[in-house]
Amino acid sequence: MIIMKFGGTSVEDARAMKNVIDIVERERNRTPVVVVSAISGATNTLLSAAELALQGKIEEAVTSLNTLYERHVLILENLIDTRSTVQMLILDTRRRIDELKHLCQSIAVLGELTKRSLDAIASVGERLSSLIIVEGMKERGLPAELVDARKVIITDDQFTSAMPLFNYIEDTAKATIQPLLENKKIVVTQGFIGSTTKGITSTLGRGGSDYSAAILGSVLNAEEIQIWTDVDGVLTADPRIAPAAKKLKILSFKEASELAYFGARVLHPSTILPAVKKNIPVVVLNSQRPNASGTQIVANPPRSNVAVKAIASKKGITVINIQSMRMLMAYGFLESIFSVFGKHKTPVDLVCTSEVAVSLTIDNTSRLDQVVAGLEEFAEVTVYEQKAIVCIVGEQMHSTAGVADRIFRALSDINAMMISQGASEINMSLVINEQDVNEAVKRLHAEFFEPVPEMALFETIGEV
Ligand code: ASP
Ligand code: MG
């Protein structure tokens, strides 16, 4: 069997949903389990309605819920021909939106919005989209069957970012999904949502449908997990900066993880960890161009001679330089530094150290003042803002001679204030001035990908 996960933009309107049904129909013989997100923007709308209600802006909340209702009605009217089905779906949608309005009213009255209520509210997006898609499939003559993910994805009670409880899910998935698959049904279920052992609705956190797909793929031993989205896959660089950027046909899970930090929009690799642990290939595909081959993310891709796979960058980086003579030959110094960051819940990304100084980067500066004050208790601190990280990623970089030389020659006059190559050596990261980023990415892309080093690994964007 395979998992087919469709993101919000893949179900954003009736045309997109028709596409989804075509794609699923094509894969019918592979026993698909379909995991759907809410229609694009729905989760944001739902959460902001709750927030508006909390601020007492109940009319605004109701207006945005009405708009959401109308979007769903428009979709189902354009997707489904059978009048009685349309009416049933409209009624169902209406009922759920009305429930939300009541919920918003109580939030406004009580002036209280718990994480638990947020999850209940957010879950409606996936519950509505899945309802429509399953009816669309049935009308197409497909043996589709809706399974409420809350009966399958059992989680702890950390609402808004609940953790899946695999012990339970192994059993629930086998009990609810397996028999349907054996009866040749196409199972449709919601991404993102689950429920606690007490049956209270929970969610896996924003963007959680990829996680749902990986969890189900893992417990059902899928042969493949397809993540259908609106981009062709993982690219060698941002094509707005390097127009010659190509799509990668295959990359390793580790490479994908490095790229994720840099906002490679495709998916968050930690969410596919359950799949990687079981060696299940994850393929990122574009539902608008279903014949393109996408990008495969696997634990161990075949070896190639290509050292560098992609170049990524991130602006808005702050460098903190921490210097102290007390560090010289002393132990416990790094510990005291990191405890300050830990105390202020500020993640550290790159770290470079010398005998008397530590430089590190952060991208979340919301508690910078507290962090600096904490560090100044035992060291001299300098902060540099408006920096950027450029990252060169490739699993075979460390075993290929001359890569660093090529990087520094390409950058020549662009000054790097920090350089870091991790022990895993699948990336090299450089901190440079923000204004130099585009130029640096362009030059590095030209150096490593123009011309393309090994065509078998890459594909032109937009090619089918
Ligand atoms: N609909 C949820 C969100 O927007 C989950 C997802 O799309 O993955 O965060
Ligand atoms: Mg989404």
Side-chain angles (χ1 to χ4, degrees):
M1 55 86 53
I2 59 170
I3 306 286
M4 304 179 80
K5 180 256 163 174
F6 294 91
T9 51
S10 298
V11 291
E12 66 187 349
D13 54 24
R15 189 193 49 81
M17 283 212 188
K18 273 186 196 137
N19 245 346
V20 166
I21 299 171
D22 289 342
I23 294 168
V24 172
E25 189 168 22
R26 224 173 52 166
E27 297 278 52
R28 209 182 142 174
N29 294 333
R30 298 178 76 191
T31 319
V33 168
V34 179
V35 177
V36 288
S37 287
I39 65 172
S40 63
T43 314
N44 286 342
T45 305
L46 290 164
L47 293 175
S48 74
E51 201 52 51
L52 286 168
L54 182 64
Q55 295 163 16
K57 298 176 183 159
I58 193 72
E59 261 160 52
E60 283 172 56
V62 166
T63 307
S64 67
L65 291 175
N66 284 341
T67 313
L68 194 63
Y69 166 76
E70 275 150 23
R71 266 187 78 195
H72 283 88
V73 170
L74 190 68
I75 293 177
L76 61 92
E77 280 183 334
N78 284 302
L79 182 72
I80 290 163
D81 294 328
T82 315
R83 212 48 228 164
S84 55
T85 311
V86 171
Q87 258 142 17
M88 185 258 309
L89 286 173
I90 289 181
L91 273 178
D92 233 335
T93 310
R94 163 103 279 162
R95 189 171 49 76
R96 287 176 207 216
I97 296 281
D98 284 345
E99 273 168 26
L100 282 178
K101 288 181 188 166
H102 288 135
L103 209 52
C104 281
Q105 242 120 28
S106 22
I107 291 168
V109 171
L110 296 172
E112 188 186 51
L113 177 56
T114 61
K115 289 187 170 181
R116 178 175 157 168
S117 326
L118 274 174
D119 276 354
I121 293 167
S123 75
V124 174
E126 270 71 10
R127 284 155 62 205
L128 289 177
S129 65
S130 57
L131 199 63
I132 300 177
I133 204 106
V134 83
E135 289 304 327
M137 286 180 180
K138 281 187 192 157
E139 200 175 63
R140 182 75 70 85
L142 295 173
E145 187 98 17
L146 185 61
V147 170
D148 191 328
R150 294 172 298 174
K151 295 212 163 72
V152 183
I153 305 291
I154 308 300
T155 71
D156 66 10
D157 58 5
Q158 292 178 56
F159 295 104
T160 71
S161 58
M163 297 290 283
L165 301 175
F166 280 91
N167 287 348
Y168 288 89
I169 301 172
E170 298 271 354
D171 296 338
T172 51
K174 274 171 197 136
T176 53
I177 297 179
Q178 207 81 59
L180 293 170
L181 295 180
E182 276 156 21
N183 282 322
K184 301 264 174 280
K185 298 281 189 202
I186 296 176
V187 171
V188 178
T189 189
Q190 304 89 3
F192 180 53
I193 72 173
S195 75
T196 66
T197 51
K198 294 197 181 110
I200 299 155
T201 301
S202 56
T203 71
L204 300 171
R206 293 306 308 272
S209 336
D210 293 336
Y211 200 13
S212 306
I215 295 165
L216 288 176
S218 156
V219 298
L220 295 167
N221 288 313
E223 76 190 53
E224 178 177 290
I225 297 171
Q226 302 177 347
I227 305 287
W228 290 88
T229 172
D230 58 355
V231 292
D232 275 0
V234 180
L235 308 181
T236 52
D238 183 340
R240 287 166 303 185
I241 303 176
K246 298 278 182 295
K247 190 201 76 192
L248 284 148
K249 286 189 191 165
I250 189 162
L251 82 166
S252 74
F253 175 72
K254 279 192 204 149
E255 291 166 336
S257 312
E258 294 290 346
L259 291 171
Y261 169 74
F262 296 93
R265 272 181 57 229
V266 173
L267 49 80
H268 199 292
S270 68
T271 64
I272 62 165
L273 204 58
V276 172
K277 277 195 185 144
K278 280 211 170 172
N279 241 322
I280 304 169
V282 175
V283 194
V284 178
L285 294 145
N286 186 347
S287 64
Q288 282 150 27
R289 299 189 334 98
N291 295 322
S293 62
T295 297
Q296 253 202 311
I297 299 170
V298 298
N300 300 301
R303 271 193 76 87
S304 79
N305 293 320
V306 178
V308 173
K309 298 281 182 56
I311 308 200
S313 62
K314 187 170 192 147
K315 293 186 185 170
I317 299 294
T318 297
V319 172
I320 304 176
N321 195 55
I322 304 146
Q323 197 158 352
S324 170
M325 280 305 157
R326 275 166 45 196
M327 184 180 167
L328 194 66
M329 311 222 309
Y331 54 81
F333 190 71
L334 287 178
E335 188 183 350
S336 27
I337 290 178
F338 285 115
S339 72
V340 173
F341 286 90
K343 186 173 159 206
H344 297 293
K345 297 191 169 55
T346 299
V348 171
D349 299 313
L350 298 184
V351 185
C352 292
T353 77
S354 70
E355 264 310 326
V356 291
V358 179
S359 303
L360 37 78
T361 69
I362 60 172
D363 61 15
N364 177 351
T365 51
S366 59
R367 306 186 70 174
L368 181 61
D369 291 347
Q370 291 100 311
V371 167
V372 170
L375 294 169
E376 276 175 341
E377 283 176 21
F378 55 86
E380 266 171 57
V381 182
T382 324
V383 174
Y384 305 90
E385 285 169 321
Q386 293 181 334
K387 300 294 166 191
I389 298 177
V390 174
C391 172
I392 301 110
V393 177
E395 195 126 45
Q396 254 108 70
M397 265 169 69
H398 64 291
S399 54
T400 312
V403 175
D405 181 45
R406 287 174 71 186
I407 292 171
F408 290 116
R409 264 190 296 118
L411 295 180
S412 60
D413 54 327
I414 296 175
N415 188 39
M417 76 180 299
M418 266 171 85
I419 299 164
S420 135
Q421 178 162 28
S424 67
E425 298 192 58
I426 82 152
N427 83 67
M428 182 182 276
S429 296
L430 304 147
V431 176
I432 61 177
N433 286 330
E434 225 172 46
Q435 80 239 30
D436 293 333
V437 162
N438 288 10
E439 181 62 23
V441 171
K442 253 187 230 151
R443 287 197 208 166
L444 290 166
H445 196 269
E447 172 65 31
F448 290 101
F449 300 103
E450 300 166 30
V452 169
E454 189 179 316
M455 203 50 217
L457 276 184
F458 304 93
E459 207 167 74
T460 304
I461 308 167
E463 209 174 67
V464 170

